[in-house]
Amino acid sequence: MSAINIGQALVLGAVEGVTEFLPVSSTGHLKIAEGLMGIPVDDKSVVGFSAVIQVGAIAAALVYFGKDIVRIVGAWFRGLRNREERYHHDYKFAWWVIYATIPIVVVGLAAKPLIEGPLASLWVVAGSLIIGSGVMWAADQMGRHKRGEDDTSLKDAMWVGCSQILALLFPGFSRSGATMSTALILDLERVAATRLSFFLGIPALTGAGIYELKDAVGSGASLAPLAVGTVVSFGVAYASISWLLKFVAKHSFNSFVIYRIIIGVLLFGLLSVGMVG
């Protein structure tokens, strides 16, 4: 039988949609929500379900940034055919996204037993939420916020891409939090850091969702909850992306830092008294 029913799928889809691109850890919030609803967080079908509904959020990013993606992909194909087009920033950026995705794919495949086993613990989530908050705060203070999206380089993309591994190994750290923090340390301004985080997350998260689909269904996850969770995730994520880009244009990341610390401390408390586990 499926470990997740339709009602739970609605809740988890909404949680995924709200948190996937905010630097607060979607994985961490999903595990907290699963724990509160009595869903086994380390069940294979549940891990697969969480990965699959991410595709809904990624689809929202694809739609939201559709014009940018078409422009970048178009430049890449033109560059493959025409040497002169290879000096265009969009052509280079397309390759940078490909290169920067390789590290997380390699680590994800190699560390899969750990990611789905010991590292899936809610204790890890709580600790990572708090530690990641410190990293995010320091990055926002250190960064000079002077470089725009057109100033990014292969080195920037590789550093930001590799930082996704932190969230992969330590659920709660937040993929968005890790990538945005790294971009800020590299002196990108907040909107550029946020957009770079989106573009680098699309291939990695899409690949993870597709890879986990067979395991999610094969291990007992029903197609109906998967479909509901994915659709809800798409709608909520689209609104979340729009809000986040407007927010970071005028505000620091301090609100997210405070929120993460509060959630991390509360989770430690819930775990200590046995309310979640």
Side-chain angles (χ1 to χ4, degrees), residues 129-130 133 255-268:
L129 277 165
I130 295 173
S133 299
S255 298
F256 297 117
V257 170
I258 295 169
Y259 172 80
R260 287 170 57 104
I261 292 173
I262 292 172
I263 294 298
V265 171
L266 284 175
L267 181 55
F268 270 128

Side-chain angles (χ1 to χ4, degrees), residues 147-150 152 183 188-197 248:
R147 298 172 57 207
E149 192 172 341
D150 291 338
T152 54
L188 269 70
E189 49 96 2
R190 294 186 183 98
V191 174
T194 303
R195 284 174 59 86
L196 182 59
S197 173
V248 298

Side-chain angles (χ1 to χ4, degrees), residues 205-227:
L205 294 175
T206 301
I210 294 172
Y211 180 81
E212 293 285 355
L213 180 59
K214 65 181 189 308
D215 290 337
V217 176
S219 57
S222 172
L223 286 175
L226 279 172

Side-chain angles (χ1 to χ4, degrees), residues 81-238:
R81 298 191 306 268
N82 187 339
R83 184 180 296 273
E84 293 181 1
E85 293 286 342
R86 297 174 190 176
Y87 296 99
H88 197 288
H89 183 270
D90 285 340
Y91 172 79
K92 296 177 183 178
F93 185 77
W95 276 114
W96 299 344
V97 171
I98 294 171
Y99 296 149
T101 302
I102 294 173
I104 192 172
V105 172
V106 173
V107 174
L109 293 174
K112 194 170 188 288
L114 282 175
I115 295 167
E116 296 181 353
L119 294 178
S121 165
L122 287 174
W123 290 99
V124 175
V125 171
S128 298
L129 277 165
I130 295 173
I131 293 171
S133 299
V135 173
M136 188 182 302
W137 179 84
D140 208 10
Q141 300 302 309
M142 291 168 55
R144 289 178 287 179
H145 314 293
K146 67 176 186 177
R147 298 172 57 207
E149 192 172 341
D150 291 338
D151 296 325
T152 54
S153 65
L154 173 60
K155 183 181 75 172
D156 297 325
M158 291 303 297
W159 275 112
V160 174
C162 287
S163 70
Q164 297 179 107
I165 295 171
L166 285 171
L168 184 68
L169 297 178
F170 304 105
F173 202 96
S174 169
R175 189 203 63 81
S176 295
T179 53
M180 290 178 192
S181 295
T182 302
L184 289 173
I185 291 172
L186 294 169
D187 293 332
L188 269 70
E189 49 96 2
R190 294 186 183 98
V191 174
T194 303
R195 284 174 59 86
L196 182 59
S197 173
F198 284 133
F199 289 128
L200 289 178
I202 288 171
L205 294 175
T206 301
I210 294 172
Y211 180 81
E212 293 285 355
L213 180 59
K214 65 181 189 308
D215 290 337
V217 176
S219 57
S222 172
L223 286 175
L226 279 172
V228 168
T230 303
V231 170
V232 171
S233 172
F234 172 87
V236 176
Y238 190 92

